[in-house]
Amino acid sequence: QEITGNKFGKGLINIEAQDSSYSMKMGLRMQSLFTSDWGITEEDGFGDAESAFLIRRARLKFDGYAYSPKLKYKVQLGLANRDMSGASEFTRNTPRFILDAVVMWNFYENFELWVGQTKLPGNREQLISSGSLETVDRSLVNSNFNLGREMGLQLHHETNLGGDFLLKEAVSISQGEGRNITSANLGGHLYMGRLEFLPFGDFDSYSGGDLDREATPKLAVGVSYAYNNNAVQTESNAGDYMLTDTGFYQTDISTLFLDAMFKYQGFSLMGEYGHRSADDAFARNSDSSLTGDVVNIGDGFNLQAGYLFPNSIQVVGRYTTIDLDDSISQVVENQYTFAISKYIAKHKLKVQTDLSYTDMNLGLEDGLTYRLQLELQL
Amino acid sequence: QEITGNKFGKGLINIEAQDSSYSMKMGLRMQSLFTSDWGITEEDGFGDAESAFLIRRARLKFDGYAYSPKLKYKVQLGLANRDMSGASEFTRNTPRFILDAVVMWNFYENFELWVGQTKLPGNREQLISSGSLETVDRSLVNSNFNLGREMGLQLHHETNLGGDFLLKEAVSISQGEGRNITSANLGGHLYMGRLEFLPFGDFDSYSGGDLDREATPKLAVGVSYAYNNNAVQTESNAGDYMLTDTGFYQTDISTLFLDAMFKYQGFSLMGEYGHRSADDAFARNSDSSLTGDVVNIGDGFNLQAGYLFPNSIQVVGRYTTIDLDDSISQVVENQYTFAISKYIAKHKLKVQTDLSYTDMNLGLEDGLTYRLQLELQL
Amino acid sequence: QEITGNKFGKGLINIEAQDSSYSMKMGLRMQSLFTSDWGITEEDGFGDAESAFLIRRARLKFDGYAYSPKLKYKVQLGLANRDMSGASEFTRNTPRFILDAVVMWNFYENFELWVGQTKLPGNREQLISSGSLETVDRSLVNSNFNLGREMGLQLHHETNLGGDFLLKEAVSISQGEGRNITSANLGGHLYMGRLEFLPFGDFDSYSGGDLDREATPKLAVGVSYAYNNNAVQTESNAGDYMLTDTGFYQTDISTLFLDAMFKYQGFSLMGEYGHRSADDAFARNSDSSLTGDVVNIGDGFNLQAGYLFPNSIQVVGRYTTIDLDDSISQVVENQYTFAISKYIAKHKLKVQTDLSYTDMNLGLEDGLTYRLQLELQL
């Protein structure tokens, strides 16, 4: 056994070459989750609890720079069954093991070119690492609208708008089929852009909770727009493939996100609006008959506020609503969540629990979900 | 290249933080196996040999402590195809890559709470690492009765009963569906307990062979009991799913293990008895007709003795019998194994070979199996 | 963070034990590929471009020695979906995650015994790492004829034939079913041998391009022969399984390779001839009717030449032809490739691009393929 100067929370291994020719941080993390679910109907009240244990996420991550500090890399692997997602004909019948495999080149001033697979410049909730959330997991807005990761190119840049006012810009071109796809590209590509405004200076705008207890108010406002040319899935680059009698139904799908993060002295507020539209949401066969598949066009909104007590216990309230376009579905889903987190070592070691009530209209079954999660990040 | 003070057999990397905020050992191991099988019938004698090469196991392991020496973690990944087991609808169509992902918290005196997926407090053969066996692989008792790994909670404790007499206790509550399951919990949970008595003091009771050549006699006697509430598989949390016309057949399944390990001056003796019973072993449809699936209730017994010569060559004899309940099957399987191991660097580098004769009753085909395995653990 | 004396290109971690009891190099690499394809017909000219992004390969590698410098090991894992290949009934329904898992024992003089899974002593293109190619990927000769990796035994040896003249010999016995197979061996085993002659002394004969700018002419000439006893796949240990009404069609398949590599002052020339023959190429049912499956017997030839300019830009021209036996197919495929590589840090960091025209006879659709790849090896 050897002694290292590295500390907990900074990677299992964290090294830099003496000649500055490379650096490497190897990290490992896992989430152990317990869930209990109850269905609720007006006639019968609470149904039987369904409870389960789950390794929600377990990941191995390598990042650092190579050859020159201007050339960064990141490789992240999803080890847990729930995290990998299954094999399909579009992934060569292999699990989606790689999350990130990307090289980031700072080729000029503060321009960076990203090559490979990583998160698209999408919505804030998605861009916050699943290990830095202030609730057990992300909201329904994210699961319904996010565009996740894709292989392709991204260009990132930062502009100082005067004083502390910062603008972060990103554009991308990618597959448009979701992550880890090995089959030929279907339809056209996905084009995406994001602007993030930070009027009161830079801060940790992509992590849940104000764990740093910002001394002055900090705000970040973001807007992202994605255009998926000739998309073939019901949620742009995710959801179900829309098959017709002659192949895949193709339609242009747009996704818009507006989001904001505010932090001040332990108080944090995060809001997010998602909107999906399509050129023609209804998949049709060659004779114009409907196939039954529809693009999930519509809106989602999430708002959550939290306060961190000095003893590192945080309370969070969250309200989420999902309202698909009436032409698609009359269902409106409202969810109310109350969460408590104990940050033992900030996001690196924490216990999180939340209780969510899901309220459905049209007499559909409501639901209550209790979750308890232990997270360790090395 | 850098020089490390670490040695072979102690992990590829083995570090501890100067501030005692974490430690990490990264290990790698692999088993290369050659097998040759012959079927034997009374009329035709020996059939043609079927021989094959196999990477039997290859694993990557991370363990150590995080935040405090009282909070240990372990993550182990199965890399080999034979070791992973296949994707199914119950694992989100992904391979069962994670073996262990567990956090162990010493929260009070010698109490430890385990959270995550790891081996249940089951039978001795299962608890002995597959890398520390004195034969090429475990016995038929283990493959027929063991409950392996599950996600859930475990509570471990040690009691000193006076003098050298030690008692180790463990209880667990877990999914009841086997490891890496992502689908909702089916039926109820699995509750398990284990007691291990060590009357002559602690020793390496979970490793094959007396490689330490104990100077005084050492004995460990264990008993484990598991109750799987509303189990849906033919071997409690393993085997086949019992489908009916309306879903899954559910019945309470109990598993009992009695086991012992004795070591003295190079001599080792290990015995194990396994017993499975069920509330109603016969799966039925809603109209009471039999589905054909049955719970594999019955008994198994394994006894093996070995002697380690001073030149690190060990001989082992093993007798195993599997006798399912007569209501299920009249088959009785007896297996006789003779094994030789050369421990080049104890269990870290060894060559093992064994020859097993499997004797079936009812005129079924007997079998002869020859195995040769090289194991390397870094 | 700690400072390491290791440098970029020598592994993420590269350590040796003070007591020479083990060493370990952990490497990581990835290839980000962009491809654009056009079909070309005589009537319509160029078809629409089909373009796609792909993580072509991403790999984690561990190698070094264990216990003694005479006992080397290598474990390599394929992380990318395109690299793993899919699950099947022959791999226990798990992805083919392990590429190499092998122990190499220098047991006597310059004899080495290899145990486990790794590349067979096959054709040169296959033996050149996919990370050390002078084009974006290997030629059609390799994809049609190579025997890849298998589990089994190999014996390697070197002979000095006088002066600088070196002879490298290797023989192997392996499964005959391809890599990562867990099912019982089908048919017989695969026996392979390779001789490599290096008349002007040793050099880096298994890497593309003359990146070392050899001061004197260097030549390597190799010949490999493989005999797959009772093979059941259309390409010996790869391709499709040949099913009949009674099981698998079995026939002896032979594969022959002749190859050469020449390097001198930045100029490199590589040639390779592959030939497959079978005892009876036509799979038949028990009543002698044809099943439709045939062994892909025939010939392939590849010749490529490159020149490396002093600014580390290399140009390569490649000609490949695949001509299956006329009894199987009248198709002849000719491919012409022009490639340019910029070696930023030799093969460790490079950008490669190539353009290939595929010319088919019999009026079949021709094709044009453009590829651009970024490779990083840590």
Side-chain angles (χ1 to χ4, degrees):
Chain A
Q1 208 178 35
E2 286 200 306
I3 301 302
T4 174
N6 191 33
K7 292 173 197 303
F8 169 65
K10 306 284 187 192
L12 288 172
I13 301 172
N14 193 337
I15 50 177
E16 183 167 14
Q18 212 157 16
D19 65 354
S20 293
S21 65
Y22 86 103
S23 75
M24 191 269 287
K25 190 174 82 172
M26 180 169 100
L28 179 71
R29 68 184 178 94
M30 60 179 137
Q31 297 178 333
S32 278
L33 174 65
F34 171 78
T35 317
S36 211
D37 277 302
W38 294 264
I40 306 170
T41 54
E42 227 161 274
E43 312 87 66
D44 306 326
F46 277 70
D48 290 338
E50 248 193 39
S51 61
F53 297 99
L54 187 66
I55 303 297
R56 178 61 185 86
R57 290 181 183 87
R59 296 185 177 179
L60 194 59
K61 193 166 83 171
F62 301 89
D63 58 7
Y65 67 80
Y67 182 68
S68 147
K70 287 183 174 304
L71 193 75
K72 291 183 289 178
Y73 65 91
K74 178 179 176 185
V75 172
Q76 189 176 208
L77 308 174
L79 312 173
N81 296 68
R82 179 63 179 71
D83 201 15
M84 271 194 244
S85 310
S88 80
E89 58 181 303
F90 304 103
T91 61
R92 228 177 147 90
N93 194 25
T94 53
R96 305 197 298 172
F97 190 55
I98 292 181
L99 290 160
D100 300 290
V102 63
V103 171
M104 293 159 284
W105 180 32
N106 176 205
F107 61 96
Y108 176 70
E109 288 185 355
N110 48 8
F111 283 92
E112 257 190 5
L113 177 70
W114 295 12
V115 180
Q117 176 174 294
T118 194
K119 283 179 184 173
L120 292 175
N123 56 311
R124 184 172 302 274
E125 265 198 287
Q126 176 63 18
L127 293 172
I128 295 176
S129 163
S130 58
S132 300
L133 300 172
E134 59 181 350
T135 49
V136 171
D137 220 322
R138 299 190 181 96
S139 80
L140 291 171
V141 170
N142 189 73
S143 52
N144 277 275
F145 292 91
N146 98 78
L147 296 172
R149 290 170 165 94
E150 291 227 347
M151 293 184 278
L153 301 175
Q154 298 190 21
L155 185 65
H156 286 248
H157 182 255
E158 275 190 33
T159 309
N160 194 320
L161 297 179
D164 285 341
F165 205 139
L166 217 63
L167 170 63
K168 297 183 180 179
E169 307 111 307
V171 291
S172 68
I173 170 174
S174 59
Q175 287 282 76
E177 319 292 330
R179 69 178 172 99
N180 297 68
I181 297 300
T182 56
S183 58
N185 188 39
L186 299 169
H189 289 290
L190 175 72
Y191 307 88
M192 194 161 193
R194 178 171 175 83
L195 295 177
E196 190 186 23
F197 300 89
L198 299 108
F200 312 131
D202 210 358
F203 71 109
D204 197 0
S205 69
Y206 293 112
S207 91
D210 183 17
L211 303 198
D212 296 334
R213 305 190 80 81
E214 298 289 348
T216 59
K218 296 286 185 183
L219 177 69
V221 176
V223 53
S224 292
Y225 175 77
Y227 173 76
N228 196 349
N229 179 238
N230 285 330
V232 299
Q233 293 175 267
T234 56
E235 296 182 354
S236 184
N237 69 354
D240 297 318
Y241 283 86
M242 298 182 286
L243 285 163
T244 70
D245 57 343
T246 57
F248 292 101
Y249 175 71
Q250 301 192 343
T251 189
D252 300 340
I253 301 182
S254 294
T255 313
L256 174 73
F257 292 107
L258 292 173
D259 58 63
M261 174 71 90
F262 176 81
K263 295 187 183 182
Y264 182 47
Q265 293 190 346
F267 174 77
S268 55
L269 183 76
M270 180 171 74
E272 187 158 273
Y273 165 73
H275 174 76
R276 182 184 295 122
S277 61
D279 198 39
D280 181 355
F282 295 86
R284 289 172 196 278
N285 289 310
S286 52
D287 64 357
S288 290
S289 64
L290 294 169
T291 68
D293 282 325
V294 291
V295 179
N296 290 336
I297 56 175
D299 304 273
F301 178 68
N302 181 65
L303 188 68
Q304 61 191 66
Y307 183 72
L308 180 77
F309 293 97
N311 59 1
S312 295
I313 286 180
Q314 190 202 22
V315 290
V316 174
R318 180 168 80 181
Y319 165 70
T320 315
T321 183
I322 303 293
D323 185 4
L324 294 187
D325 194 271
D326 284 353
S327 64
I328 304 296
S329 163
Q330 272 76 46
V331 176
V332 178
E333 189 175 0
N334 286 301
Q335 191 178 70
Y336 308 87
T337 301
F338 177 70
I340 300 181
S341 299
K342 168 66 183 174
Y343 300 99
I344 300 160
K346 295 201 171 177
H347 287 295
K348 302 302 181 188
L349 177 62
K350 60 184 176 181
V351 179
Q352 296 184 292
T353 188
D354 62 24
L355 188 71
S356 293
Y357 186 85
T358 308
D359 181 24
M360 308 295 285
N361 67 347
L362 304 179
L364 292 169
E365 194 184 76
D366 292 346
L368 188 70
T369 298
Y370 172 72
R371 301 188 292 190
L372 176 62
Q373 185 167 274
L374 171 66
E375 168 132 21
L376 176 63
Q377 299 188 42
L378 278 146
Chain B
Q1 205 177 37
E2 286 200 305
I3 301 302
T4 173
N6 192 32
K7 292 173 199 301
F8 169 65
K10 308 283 188 192
L12 289 172
I13 301 170
N14 193 336
I15 50 176
E16 183 167 13
Q18 213 156 16
D19 66 354
S20 293
S21 65
Y22 85 105
S23 76
M24 191 269 287
K25 190 174 83 172
M26 181 169 99
L28 179 71
R29 69 184 178 92
M30 60 178 138
Q31 297 178 335
S32 279
L33 174 65
F34 172 77
T35 318
S36 212
D37 278 301
W38 294 264
I40 305 170
T41 54
E42 228 162 272
E43 311 88 65
D44 304 326
F46 278 69
D48 289 338
E50 248 194 38
S51 61
F53 297 99
L54 187 67
I55 304 298
R56 178 61 185 87
R57 290 181 183 89
R59 296 186 176 177
L60 194 58
K61 192 166 84 170
F62 301 88
D63 57 8
Y65 66 81
Y67 183 66
S68 148
K70 289 184 174 303
L71 194 77
K72 290 183 291 179
Y73 66 90
K74 178 180 176 185
V75 172
Q76 189 176 209
L77 308 173
L79 312 173
N81 296 68
R82 179 62 179 70
D83 201 15
M84 271 194 242
S85 310
S88 79
E89 58 181 304
F90 304 103
T91 61
R92 228 175 147 90
N93 195 24
T94 53
R96 305 197 298 171
F97 191 56
I98 292 180
L99 289 161
D100 300 289
V102 62
V103 171
M104 293 159 285
W105 180 31
N106 176 206
F107 62 95
Y108 176 70
E109 290 186 354
N110 47 8
F111 282 93
E112 257 190 6
L113 178 69
W114 295 12
V115 180
Q117 176 174 293
T118 194
K119 284 179 184 173
L120 292 175
N123 55 311
R124 184 172 303 273
E125 266 197 287
Q126 175 64 18
L127 292 173
I128 295 176
S129 163
S130 59
S132 300
L133 300 173
E134 59 180 351
T135 49
V136 171
D137 220 322
R138 298 190 182 97
S139 80
L140 292 170
V141 170
N142 189 73
S143 51
N144 278 275
F145 292 91
N146 99 77
L147 296 172
R149 291 172 165 92
E150 291 226 346
M151 294 183 277
L153 302 175
Q154 299 189 20
L155 185 65
H156 287 248
H157 182 254
E158 276 190 33
T159 308
N160 194 320
L161 296 179
D164 284 340
F165 205 140
L166 217 64
L167 170 62
K168 296 182 181 179
E169 306 110 310
V171 292
S172 69
I173 170 172
S174 60
Q175 288 281 75
E177 319 293 329
R179 67 177 173 100
N180 298 67
I181 297 301
T182 54
S183 56
N185 187 40
L186 299 169
H189 289 290
L190 175 72
Y191 307 89
M192 195 161 193
R194 177 171 175 84
L195 295 177
E196 189 187 23
F197 300 89
L198 299 109
F200 313 130
D202 210 358
F203 70 110
D204 197 0
S205 68
Y206 292 112
S207 92
D210 183 17
L211 303 199
D212 296 334
R213 306 190 79 82
E214 298 289 347
T216 59
K218 296 287 186 183
L219 177 68
V221 176
V223 52
S224 289
Y225 175 77
Y227 174 76
N228 197 348
N229 179 238
N230 285 330
V232 299
Q233 292 175 269
T234 55
E235 297 182 351
S236 184
N237 70 354
D240 297 319
Y241 283 85
M242 299 183 287
L243 285 164
T244 70
D245 57 344
T246 57
F248 292 101
Y249 175 70
Q250 302 191 344
T251 189
D252 300 341
I253 301 183
S254 294
T255 312
L256 174 73
F257 292 107
L258 292 172
D259 58 63
M261 173 71 90
F262 176 81
K263 294 186 184 183
Y264 182 47
Q265 292 190 345
F267 174 76
S268 55
L269 183 76
M270 180 170 74
E272 187 158 273
Y273 165 72
H275 174 76
R276 182 184 296 121
S277 61
D279 198 38
D280 181 355
F282 295 87
R284 289 171 196 279
N285 288 310
S286 52
D287 64 356
S288 290
S289 64
L290 294 170
T291 67
D293 282 324
V294 291
V295 180
N296 290 335
I297 57 175
D299 304 274
F301 177 67
N302 182 65
L303 187 67
Q304 62 191 64
Y307 183 72
L308 180 77
F309 292 98
N311 59 1
S312 295
I313 287 180
Q314 190 201 23
V315 291
V316 174
R318 179 168 82 181
Y319 165 70
T320 314
T321 184
I322 302 294
D323 185 4
L324 294 188
D325 194 272
D326 284 353
S327 65
I328 304 297
S329 162
Q330 272 75 48
V331 175
V332 179
E333 188 174 2
N334 286 301
Q335 191 177 71
Y336 308 87
T337 301
F338 178 70
I340 301 181
S341 299
K342 168 67 182 176
Y343 299 99
I344 300 160
K346 295 201 171 176
H347 287 296
K348 301 302 181 189
L349 177 61
K350 59 185 176 181
V351 180
Q352 297 184 291
T353 188
D354 62 22
L355 189 71
S356 294
Y357 187 85
T358 309
D359 181 25
M360 308 293 286
N361 67 347
L362 304 178
L364 292 169
E365 194 183 77
D366 292 345
L368 188 70
T369 299
Y370 172 73
R371 301 189 291 190
L372 175 63
Q373 186 167 273
L374 172 66
E375 169 132 21
L376 176 62
Q377 299 188 42
L378 278 145
Chain C
Q1 206 178 36
E2 286 199 305
I3 300 303
T4 173
N6 191 33
K7 290 173 198 303
F8 169 64
K10 307 283 188 192
L12 288 172
I13 300 171
N14 194 338
I15 50 176
E16 183 167 12
Q18 212 157 17
D19 65 355
S20 292
S21 65
Y22 85 104
S23 76
M24 191 268 288
K25 191 174 82 172
M26 181 168 100
L28 179 70
R29 68 184 178 93
M30 60 178 137
Q31 297 178 334
S32 279
L33 174 65
F34 171 78
T35 317
S36 212
D37 278 301
W38 295 265
I40 305 169
T41 55
E42 228 161 272
E43 311 87 65
D44 305 326
F46 277 69
D48 289 338
E50 248 193 41
S51 61
F53 296 100
L54 186 67
I55 303 298
R56 178 61 186 87
R57 290 180 182 89
R59 295 184 176 178
L60 194 58
K61 192 166 84 171
F62 301 89
D63 58 8
Y65 66 82
Y67 182 67
S68 148
K70 288 182 174 304
L71 193 76
K72 291 183 290 179
Y73 66 90
K74 178 180 176 185
V75 172
Q76 188 176 209
L77 308 174
L79 312 173
N81 296 67
R82 179 62 179 70
D83 201 14
M84 272 195 242
S85 309
S88 78
E89 58 180 303
F90 304 103
T91 60
R92 227 176 148 91
N93 195 24
T94 53
R96 305 197 298 173
F97 190 56
I98 292 180
L99 290 160
D100 300 289
V102 64
V103 171
M104 293 159 284
W105 180 31
N106 176 205
F107 61 95
Y108 176 71
E109 289 185 355
N110 47 8
F111 283 92
E112 258 190 4
L113 177 69
W114 295 13
V115 180
Q117 176 174 293
T118 194
K119 283 180 185 173
L120 292 176
N123 56 311
R124 184 172 303 274
E125 265 198 288
Q126 176 63 19
L127 292 172
I128 294 176
S129 163
S130 59
S132 300
L133 300 172
E134 60 180 351
T135 49
V136 171
D137 220 322
R138 299 190 181 97
S139 80
L140 292 171
V141 170
N142 190 72
S143 52
N144 278 275
F145 292 91
N146 98 77
L147 297 172
R149 290 173 166 92
E150 291 227 345
M151 294 184 276
L153 302 175
Q154 298 190 21
L155 185 65
H156 287 247
H157 182 254
E158 275 190 33
T159 309
N160 193 321
L161 296 179
D164 285 342
F165 205 139
L166 216 63
L167 171 61
K168 296 182 180 179
E169 307 110 308
V171 291
S172 68
I173 170 173
S174 60
Q175 287 283 76
E177 320 292 330
R179 69 178 172 100
N180 299 66
I181 297 300
T182 55
S183 57
N185 187 40
L186 298 169
H189 289 290
L190 175 72
Y191 307 88
M192 194 161 194
R194 177 171 175 83
L195 295 177
E196 190 187 24
F197 299 89
L198 299 109
F200 312 130
D202 210 0
F203 71 110
D204 197 1
S205 69
Y206 293 112
S207 91
D210 183 17
L211 302 198
D212 296 335
R213 305 190 81 82
E214 298 289 347
T216 60
K218 296 287 185 182
L219 177 68
V221 176
V223 53
S224 291
Y225 176 77
Y227 174 76
N228 196 349
N229 179 237
N230 286 329
V232 299
Q233 291 175 269
T234 56
E235 297 183 352
S236 183
N237 70 354
D240 297 319
Y241 283 86
M242 299 182 287
L243 285 164
T244 71
D245 57 343
T246 57
F248 292 101
Y249 175 71
Q250 301 192 343
T251 189
D252 301 341
I253 301 182
S254 294
T255 312
L256 174 73
F257 292 106
L258 291 172
D259 58 63
M261 174 71 89
F262 175 81
K263 294 187 183 182
Y264 182 48
Q265 292 189 346
F267 174 76
S268 55
L269 182 76
M270 181 171 73
E272 187 158 273
Y273 166 72
H275 174 76
R276 183 184 296 122
S277 61
D279 199 39
D280 181 355
F282 295 87
R284 289 173 196 278
N285 288 310
S286 52
D287 64 356
S288 289
S289 63
L290 294 169
T291 67
D293 283 324
V294 290
V295 179
N296 290 335
I297 57 175
D299 303 273
F301 178 68
N302 182 65
L303 188 67
Q304 61 191 63
Y307 183 72
L308 181 77
F309 292 97
N311 59 0
S312 295
I313 287 181
Q314 189 202 24
V315 290
V316 174
R318 179 168 81 180
Y319 165 70
T320 314
T321 183
I322 302 294
D323 186 3
L324 294 188
D325 194 272
D326 283 354
S327 64
I328 304 297
S329 163
Q330 271 76 47
V331 175
V332 178
E333 189 174 1
N334 285 301
Q335 192 177 71
Y336 308 87
T337 302
F338 177 70
I340 300 180
S341 299
K342 168 66 182 176
Y343 299 100
I344 300 160
K346 295 200 171 176
H347 287 295
K348 302 302 181 187
L349 177 61
K350 61 185 176 181
V351 180
Q352 297 185 291
T353 188
D354 62 23
L355 189 71
S356 293
Y357 186 84
T358 309
D359 180 23
M360 306 295 286
N361 67 348
L362 304 178
L364 292 169
E365 193 183 77
D366 291 346
L368 188 69
T369 299
Y370 172 72
R371 301 187 292 190
L372 176 63
Q373 187 168 273
L374 171 66
E375 169 133 20
L376 176 62
Q377 299 188 41
L378 278 146

